[in-house]
Amino acid sequence: MKITLDKDWHHLAVEASIDLLGSDLQKGLTREEALRRLNRFGHNTLTMKPRQDAWIRFLLQFHQPLIYILIAAGVITTALQEWVDSGVIFGVVLVNALISFIQESKAEHALAALADTMVAEATVLRQAEKKRIPSPDLVPGDIVLLYAGDKVPADMRLLHCRDLQVDESALTGESLPVEKDAESLGLDTVLVERRNMAYGSSMVTYGLGTGIVTATGDFTEVGHISQLISSAQDLATPLTRKITHFSKILLYTILLLAAFTVAVGMMRGQSLFYMFMAAVALAVGAIPEGLPAAVTITLAIGVSRMAKRRVIIRKLPAVETLGSTTVICSDKTGTLTENQMTVQAILAGEIHYEVSGAGYTPLGRIVRQDGADDVSMVELNQCLRAGILCNDSMLREDDGNWLVQGDPTEGALLTAAIKGGFDQKEVEREYPRLDSVPFESQRQYMATLHDGGDGRPRLVYIKGAVEQILAKCSKNINSGGTGARISFDKIHQDVSDMAVRGLRVLAFAFKELPAETIGIKHDDVNTGFTFLGLQGMIDPPRAKAVTAVKICRKAGISIKMITGDHPATAGAIAGQIGLYGGDVDKTGKGTVLTGGDLEKMSDEELISVAEQTIVFARATPLQKIRLVKALQAGGHVVAMTGDGVNDAPALKQADIGVAMGITGTDVSKEAADMVLTDDNFSSIEAAVEEGRGVFDNLTKFIVWTLPTNLGEGLVILVAILLGVTLPILPVQILWINMTTAGFLGLMLAFEPREPGIMQRLPRNPDTPILTRELITRIILVGNLLLIGSFGLFKWEIAAGASIEYARTVAVNVFVIMELFYLFNCRSLSKSILQLGIFTNMWVFGGVSVMLLLQIIYTYLPLMNRLFHSVAIGIDSWGRILLAGLTAYVIVEVEKTINARKLPPLSSGSISK
């Protein structure tokens, strides 16, 4: 049939919309029809805005201040007919552009691949079966089921709603979620008031609903009014911005020094040709040509290392910020714990039971506290049956592993019931479900309506937070299955006893409704229930999380737990994990603040409370944001974990939002800076560790490369001021800079994390890249290079050597001293013996290649012609190696002296 999408869907009735789109509310589309429509209407994606052509992106690599100087130098040497020099200069510029272009392309491809891995999914009805399919595969006429936390995958006419609320702020600017229904609206109803429509890119924040897709891709409202946000991230980070700023300062400095050089030379009566060559030498010597490529490659290696440790970086600035994190606010369930809930205690009919076994594997027994098997009692059976019926999940076995398809808490209830002798499918057949009130965080309960069979009253089972369920109960079940007086104080005491053990406690109740009842709403489940009992379960701490918490505490990072659990449960788990430190026992004795406590505090009071408190229970989304803001107001850099819709605002507010890759909703992933693919807290610690390592390696490269440029610039300036021959030529400087940067300096990017990196205080993000001690070292090594190269150049001249011979010695002095200095820079504070000589074999590979290149440079006739070098004798090599070794020893002595001045294990701090 012919499908027309240009309709006023909000004005049409539900049945008319389904007919016009040729679909079926009960069955949805067939696979064949869905494929035909996919071919006709295309994938449900917005058309990507045209990317810049590759040749334009390549030309943009030359659009950098320091590259301008090199190009100018190449033009000048060409004009002076110094063809070799100009050829090498232009070759260096071209190689630099190629490296940057290739790395940029790789970054774009990596980000695009990341976007592909995080494509949202949608639940659809196809051939009468519910399926999760990628959102791009949706077609007009698909029947889509919407749940809280979902991103609406396309424009759709709503067919059925249950308390459905949708955040449409991205489309309409409406700040509050919009309540939805399926009733037809007037023809002239404006888009912002179309309550029976759900639009692509909006977020379901509450309730559930069913809709039929009316438009996909570019035909959606979002496609009409907005451009697709490119998947490419802004690669500018605080570090790279600092480097850009440094480059501009260096540009002006080089131009001034070059002008000064020419002026001094002219005053001395030097030829204009000679002075231009000197200015070119100074310019190319002062430019750290390898720095941009090194920064890009080091960041790329860091992101790659994080990916191997189950961390996906969505926003690259997070790599640097991670190194400065002072507080991690973590959810409990699934992050600090295993997310393998296990029922360990049951209260039914005022009798306590213990449940053996662990995880979802249904192996274990239910025994009374006196040790006798007793699973035939009515109270216990009712409580276990409620756990099966008031349940949307399912257990399944996969290659010997029992997994829960659905909520972990519900999986634990199913496992406990099976241990008690029940069969889920058999119970569900005996008491078929007729309707349900889904669990929502604001109400803290779930209820289901069941057919009692043979004309008996309908049964309503309810489970949820103890406070919510007890408020609905008027009696307690007894051994005959009927009602008895309920003792609220006794139940609250039982709950507290379970919570002290770290158990999460759910309450269960039931009531009867008339046999003609076909549905239930919230008003139907407010009163009249009979209390069935409690089931206490635990999500055991992850062993890796316990270790990670210890490491973070040593690193000066405070861990705070923010959970929706019972305060006693939260405190017990915090104690077991070690959040309170070594002074608190495993019962978790420590201050636990609840959402109610936070509600009474002003923002000013919360700043000091947030600093001092470790565990926050029953916290609302607004309170999570207030906590993050309070910590930030106290000078902290905050990382926040989350997986639900309610966590998204706090994830956005935090300096680093951390979403869960497995359990996380689309909303939380979009709000986050990084995603944990294993939902494990230890991965956060690993990311912080890698972030610190990345920044360390970038700093090491900068500290290694800048003395070379300083030394080369000083050699040229001193030669000009003294009126002597240049010890090194521009083409030779380029050889030094490009070969050493590629084969020596870049090897620092592969440097493993130093021992004790997580025993430092977090780095203040406002601290300059180079501290006073590191600037002193750069100046020291720059002057050592000046003394070594200039001194041996004059030594060879005095010994009767030719200018070419002396220059070849000077070039090799630079390379060999840089080679020795590379081993100094493998750690900025430790000796190589403390670090481990062979912990980075890439360094030895780079050193071997560099030595081979220097032999080729010195002895190969072709290189002699290109770079004005000549063969040198063994005695000259001896002096060169002595210069390199001397520089290494001096720097090691300087490191030792500075290390004694610095506080132990300190790399900066954040004001608190």
Side-chain angles (χ1 to χ4, degrees), residues 144-154 156-168 176-183 194-199 202-212 438 440 442-443 522:
V144 177
L145 286 74
L146 299 174
Y147 301 95
D150 285 351
K151 182 177 182 179
V152 178
M156 60 185 68
R157 171 68 162 88
L158 295 172
L159 309 176
H160 173 74
C161 300
R162 170 65 63 84
D163 300 324
L164 183 65
Q165 294 183 15
V166 179
D167 179 1
E168 296 180 338
L176 297 175
V178 179
E179 293 187 5
K180 297 291 185 177
D181 60 51
E183 298 299 320
R194 295 176 184 173
R195 298 189 308 274
N196 59 7
M197 298 291 295
Y199 295 103
S202 56
M203 299 290 180
V204 179
T205 61
Y206 194 80
L208 50 86
T210 304
I212 184 168
E440 291 162 353
Q442 290 165 305
R443 300 184 185 271
H522 291 293

Side-chain angles (χ1 to χ4, degrees), residues 4-10 12 20 194 197 214:
T4 304
L5 301 183
D6 188 16
K7 295 287 183 182
D8 296 309
W9 299 107
H10 63 279
L12 298 176
L20 284 170
R194 295 176 184 173
M197 298 291 295
T214 58

